[in-house]
Amino acid sequence: MHDDLIARAKAWLAEDPDAETREELARLIDAGDMDELAARFSGTLQFGTAGLRGELGAGPMRMNRGVVIRAAAGLAAYLKKSGTPYGGDGAGLVVIGYDARHKSADFARDTAAVMTGAGLRAAVLPRPLPTPVLAFAVRHLGAVAGVEVTASHNPPRDNGYKVYLGDGSQIVPPADAEIAAEIDAIASLDDVPRPESGWETLDDAVLDAYLARTDAVLGAGSPRTARTVYTAMHGVGRDVLLAAFARAGFPESVLVAEQADPDPDFPTVAFPNPEEPGAMDLAFARARATDPDLVIANDPDADRCAVAVKDGGDWRMLRGDEVGALLAAHLVRRGARGTFAESIVSSSLLGRIAGKAGLPYEETLTGFKWIARVDGLRYGYEEALGYCVDPEGVRDKDGITAALLITELASVLKEEGRTLLDLLDDLAVEHGLHATDQLSVRVKDLSLIADAMRRLREQPPAELAGLPVTRAEDLSLGTDRLPPTDGLRYTLTGARVIVRPSGTEPKLKCYLEVVVPVADHAGLPAARARAAELLNAVRRDLSAAAGI
């Protein structure tokens, strides 16, 4: 075992193209650090529907240039076998974007070299830009595929690799397994041609086209008066969002200066995710000092959008489900037509809003790779701060256009002497108070997640918070409307619970919703108290049932 591990590490070292990871791996080999070597060489980082995501470092279980070159070669082989890359005008185009994380630019350049060496055309975005710009570019440029190098809102030590196909949406099965098989078939990096040049670095024309497309998001002649505080969370959203807001005619956002510049170390936050405790503290401090109408935050690659409002004497972040419902109500009021869609872990309020408006409604599996594929999609959202408000432009979540639309809504309400919270109250009276929460457990040992799922499958709860479970579904078996996925769904009288392992982080995630009828606005405080009581009890009982 010892000799085999050292041999595999030395073989990897011999073809590692990166001086930093070569040095790192050589140190581990020289030190005889078998535990660390075993962690790096216990398998390979698995390519799936989220592409690749993992900790930076040497070895096949980490994100590094060797892993990325293999992934790019596997994607190129898949594209060539699928028959899409070659048309009458020659090789198909693969467009590549990247964020400002450690190694992102290197991974983008390696991908361009591999695509070029495989006989495809490659074009790299001009600098670190938001993920939605890449998703837009795939369709805008008529590419056969796109790659975004990003780990979104993961910790600084991580990076990732997200793949889009020619329709501009992320890969879904079976494409992920077919690409993974091509990656596995690569014996050596020496077999992967990587020329030093031959690809194109795009200019700002594609970004200009993306910004021009944002005009389609807003209503003609709508108010543009809401004032905002904005944080880019040390990511790449600032310049694009400011340009989009200036183009739309909104007041210039007040920036959270400490988080405005791209910084791959994310020095002011424990996790660069607006949903994480403390991540919005600096933005709230800026809002207290400047008293805007709302606070807007993007995650580091700007595909997510967080919104905070003044509630009483201080600021609080709206839940993704609240923003999802607000945007839906705004689009309905503007006369939007087409299908409204959301993932199964998001609030059922969207279905009520769409139903009352006479609009088609669909539920999908978690992730915009599924939401973006809904036929006739007009609007889609996911509770994890992801919103697709312009599916013809970007077939993915887009934190820039979502920020524009929520700021337009705040402006409309401001002209009426109302706020986003007032509209949420109206929706609760009209459709019932839909209160959501999440029980999320981060683990170091992934077996704890498997144990919890097994425990719930073997002994599903009969009731939670005193509410009987009227239906228990094992989503790994699929349903008449959903393909199989590792998850459990419990329908209760007046509530719903979904339990699933995260697809991108070492977390078990439990999504809770309770619906409390409200007769009128005067009944809202009592309904909120009842909802909070029920959510706490559901969380407690579910935690006990899962053993977490």
Side-chain angles (χ1 to χ4, degrees):
M1 172 68 176
H2 177 283
D3 291 345
D4 177 61
L5 190 55
I6 292 292
R8 279 188 285 142
K10 287 183 174 178
W12 184 275
L13 178 64
E15 61 176 27
D16 189 336
D18 189 312
E20 284 185 41
T21 47
R22 279 201 311 273
E23 181 183 343
E24 176 189 336
L25 185 53
R27 276 199 314 269
L28 294 175
I29 294 170
D30 291 345
D33 190 339
M34 303 311 294
D35 288 343
E36 190 61 28
L37 287 172
R40 309 295 186 95
F41 288 88
S42 59
T44 58
L45 207 56
Q46 289 302 298
F47 187 94
T49 52
L52 293 168
R53 197 175 291 188
E55 187 175 346
L56 290 162
M61 286 295 289
R62 297 288 186 266
M63 281 295 296
N64 51 65
R65 291 183 60 198
V67 164
V68 164
I69 288 166
R70 284 178 168 83
L75 173 60
Y78 165 82
L79 291 171
K80 292 170 81 168
K81 282 189 178 178
S82 69
T84 55
Y86 298 100
D89 61 346
L93 173 68
V94 178
V95 61
I96 302 151
Y98 59 104
D99 66 11
R101 283 178 177 266
H102 293 296
K103 298 289 185 183
S104 287
D106 293 339
F107 295 166
R109 193 164 46 249
D110 282 332
T111 300
V114 170
M115 296 301 163
T116 303
L120 295 158
R121 289 186 295 129
V124 183
L125 293 184
R127 58 186 171 279
L129 286 167
T131 292
V133 176
L134 182 277
F136 168 82
V138 173
R139 289 166 60 82
H140 177 69
L141 298 175
V144 297
V147 171
E148 176 70 16
V149 180
T150 181
S152 190
H153 55 274
N154 275 38
R157 64 180 181 272
D158 290 358
N159 213 327
Y161 198 83
K162 186 184 292 189
V163 175
Y164 297 77
L165 293 182
D167 62 355
S169 55
Q170 298 174 49
I171 56 169
V172 295
D176 57 338
E178 292 170 5
I179 294 169
E182 297 293 344
I183 295 170
D184 291 344
I186 296 160
S188 168
L189 291 190
D190 294 337
D191 301 331
V192 181
R194 302 196 304 279
E196 294 292 321
S197 61
W199 57 89
E200 178 184 2
T201 299
L202 295 167
D203 58 21
D204 276 352
V206 70
L207 175 59
D208 293 342
Y210 169 84
L211 288 168
R213 177 73 204 181
T214 64
D215 295 347
V217 172
L218 303 177
S222 63
R224 311 281 167 92
T225 56
R227 295 177 302 108
T228 55
V229 160
Y230 172 71
T231 175
M233 205 67 70
H234 299 296
V236 297
R238 178 194 60 198
D239 293 348
V240 178
L241 182 131
L242 291 180
F245 269 50
R247 185 183 181 95
F250 287 113
E252 184 175 354
S253 294
V254 174
L255 296 179
V256 179
E258 302 93 327
Q259 299 175 333
D261 294 329
D263 188 331
D265 293 319
F266 307 108
T268 68
V269 291
F271 290 93
N273 179 353
E275 294 178 293
E276 293 283 348
M280 295 288 286
D281 287 355
L282 288 171
F284 291 162
R286 200 79 185 95
R288 292 182 196 110
T290 57
D291 197 30
D293 296 300
L294 70 166
V295 174
I296 299 287
N298 286 138
D299 67 339
D301 70 325
D303 63 350
R304 288 173 169 82
C305 176
V307 180
V309 296
K310 199 167 188 179
D311 189 0
D314 207 356
W315 290 81
R316 77 168 175 92
M317 203 170 95
L318 296 177
R319 292 189 170 277
D321 285 317
E322 292 176 309
V323 176
L326 288 168
L327 292 175
H330 183 43
L331 289 169
V332 165
R333 181 174 173 177
R334 277 185 21 191
R337 309 307 298 170
T339 301
F340 280 28
E342 64 181 338
S343 64
I344 57 173
V345 300
S346 305
S347 171
S348 59
L349 178 55
L350 183 68
R352 304 270 183 102
I353 293 171
K356 182 152 189 183
L359 297 175
Y361 164 76
E362 291 286 343
E363 277 189 319
T364 75
L365 294 184
T366 308
F368 269 82
K369 57 185 175 284
W370 298 108
I371 295 170
R373 284 180 158 73
V374 168
D375 286 342
L377 181 68
R378 175 59 186 88
Y379 168 64
Y381 98 92
E382 187 158 74
E383 54 74 43
L385 311 184
Y387 315 94
C388 176
V389 301
D390 178 27
E392 290 305 306
V394 176
R395 289 273 175 94
D396 199 4
K397 55 186 176 291
D398 183 346
I400 305 296
T401 50
L404 286 169
L405 195 62
I406 197 71
T407 307
E408 179 187 55
L409 172 56
S411 299
V412 170
L413 293 169
K414 185 178 182 179
E415 298 294 299
E416 299 170 354
R418 286 157 42 82
T419 68
L420 296 176
L421 293 179
D422 292 328
L423 180 52
L424 284 172
D425 286 349
D426 292 348
L427 292 172
V429 171
E430 187 174 3
H431 301 288
L433 177 66
H434 289 62
T436 58
D437 203 355
Q438 198 179 119
L439 170 62
S440 182
V441 181
R442 185 182 292 271
V443 301
K444 290 187 176 178
D445 181 357
L446 290 176
S447 70
L448 296 175
I449 294 176
D451 290 345
M453 295 296 289
R454 187 185 68 250
R455 193 176 292 113
L456 288 171
R457 284 189 168 101
E458 291 174 354
Q459 295 179 302
E463 65 173 32
L464 296 168
L467 304 174
V469 175
T470 58
R471 187 177 184 190
E473 298 170 273
D474 185 345
L475 299 177
S476 68
L477 305 175
T479 73
D480 57 344
R481 301 189 68 83
L482 298 171
T485 187
D486 187 10
L488 300 164
R489 178 164 61 182
Y490 303 116
T491 303
L492 301 90
T493 304
R496 182 218 64 199
V497 171
I498 293 174
V499 184
R500 59 179 282 272
S502 170
T504 56
E505 299 177 272
K507 283 183 176 181
L508 181 68
K509 304 182 90 169
C510 310
Y511 304 83
L512 322 176
E513 179 178 44
V514 299
V515 183
V516 179
V518 190
D520 52 35
H521 283 75
L524 280 168
R528 288 201 177 92
R530 175 60 176 156
E533 175 189 334
L534 283 172
L535 284 171
N536 284 332
V538 170
R539 188 186 303 106
R540 179 196 65 225
D541 292 354
L542 181 64
S543 180
I548 55 176

